[in-house]
Amino acid sequence: MKLKQKEKRANRMLSIGTWIAILAGWYLYTATIGSNSFMLPSPAEVMAAFGTIIKDGYNGISLSRHLIDSFRRLFIAVTLAAVTAVPLGLLSGYLPKIRAVVDSIVQFYRPIPPLAYYALLIIWLGIEDESKISLLFLAAFAPIYIACVSAVSGINEDYILSAASLGASQKDVFFKIILPASLPDILTSLRTALGFAYTTLVAAEMTAATSGIGWMVIDASRYLKSDVMFVGIIIMGLTGVLMDSGLQYIETKVVYWKGKD
């Protein structure tokens, strides 16, 4: 146990050291070569832009409003994806007829880049949040669904046959064997889906949006405000790490047996 704790502490220090080296290299490069605010702003310029955005907002909108608008779109979409994809994925893995109906549709649209059908979503749903949430929903749905189908397929069939031989109904098998056994993969898929939907957020906010972290990055790029772009990218990275850490914490509490012999 102590060895594992020492290894975790060493790995954590290695991660911290890596980021210190990256920041130091960034600072030294801009200090010695010279900062080009259009190409690579210095850390000081990025921090100054961050302070200005915290104080005055961006484009007349506060930073908190940008964050709230982005996360509202993101969480609504991922929640809807989880509520629909988890049961459909589990049922598709358990019942071949349902899989025959749903799987081909998911496999058809899954490889298509989100921007390829975003224009259609705008035509059908308008330029407001409906089209943006729908785009994020589709981005998050596929990884959750596929992970759930794979989780059910990987369950030892002897468990299901043993339960059936003891008189368990299909409902009992689903809720007492299929669902608990699939929980680790479900939670992992939620982490994957959240990350994938977050990367799609910029695409969702680049058309007819007036707020959001993704929109802030896109708008800053139009005016070559690299310092603001760095601020947006750093905020997205940090909030992404925080969300993933939160899901990891939930995973350790819900499926506490995962990874244990």
Side-chain angles (χ1 to χ4, degrees):
M1 196 70 174
K2 290 182 179 180
L3 288 174
K4 286 186 177 180
Q5 289 178 347
K6 287 183 179 180
E7 186 179 356
K8 286 182 179 179
R9 193 178 298 113
N11 291 336
R12 190 179 298 114
M13 293 303 297
L14 185 60
S15 297
I16 294 172
T18 300
W19 280 103
I20 290 175
I22 291 173
L23 292 174
W26 179 16
Y27 172 78
L28 289 173
Y29 179 83
T30 54
T32 56
I33 304 301
S35 175
N36 185 338
S37 58
F38 294 114
M39 299 294 292
L40 181 63
S42 67
E45 289 174 322
V46 174
M47 289 301 297
F50 186 51
T52 301
I53 291 172
I54 290 177
K55 181 182 178 181
D56 302 324
Y58 180 76
N59 200 35
I61 301 173
S62 66
L63 178 61
S64 61
R65 184 76 259 166
H66 285 298
L67 288 169
I68 289 170
D69 288 348
S70 286
F71 288 133
R72 185 188 70 250
R73 295 160 184 154
L74 182 67
F75 288 135
I76 290 174
V78 174
T79 300
L80 290 174
V83 168
T84 54
V86 170
L88 276 176
L90 295 177
L91 288 172
S92 294
Y94 186 46
L95 301 174
K97 289 185 178 179
I98 294 180
R99 184 172 183 176
V101 174
V102 180
D103 198 71
S104 60
I105 299 173
V106 175
Q107 296 297 342
F108 173 78
Y109 92 81
R110 183 174 65 90
I112 303 174
L115 283 178
Y117 49 79
Y118 189 30
L120 284 174
L121 292 176
I122 292 175
I123 293 173
W124 294 339
L125 301 174
I127 60 175
E128 301 300 328
D129 279 356
E130 287 81 1
S131 59
K132 298 172 178 58
I133 291 172
S134 297
L135 182 72
L136 298 177
F137 167 81
L138 291 171
F141 182 92
I144 299 175
Y145 170 84
I146 291 171
C148 290
V149 173
S150 178
V152 176
S153 302
I155 296 174
N156 192 330
E157 194 173 354
D158 291 340
Y159 299 155
I160 299 173
L161 294 175
S162 297
S165 66
L166 293 173
S169 64
Q170 281 195 330
K171 181 181 177 182
D172 292 331
V173 170
F174 183 81
F175 284 103
K176 295 183 179 180
I177 296 178
I178 302 295
L179 183 58
S182 302
L183 270 177
D185 291 304
I186 291 173
L187 291 174
T188 300
S189 72
L190 288 176
R191 290 174 57 195
T192 304
L194 184 63
F196 192 49
Y198 206 2
T199 60
T200 313
L201 186 64
V202 174
E205 293 180 342
M206 68 185 296
T207 304
T210 56
S211 64
I213 295 299
W215 172 83
M216 189 174 77
V217 173
I218 290 295
D219 187 74
S221 70
R222 296 191 183 105
Y223 302 100
L224 299 179
K225 298 178 180 179
S226 298
D227 52 351
V228 177
M229 292 173 63
F230 267 72
V231 170
I233 290 169
I234 290 170
I235 289 174
M236 292 179 75
L238 291 176
T239 52
V241 169
L242 289 174
M243 288 188 293
D244 188 70
S245 298
L247 286 175
Q248 279 185 303
Y249 177 78
I250 294 172
E251 185 177 6
T252 59
K253 296 300 180 181
V254 175
V255 287
Y256 50 87
W257 64 87
K258 183 180 179 182
K260 295 183 179 180
D261 295 329

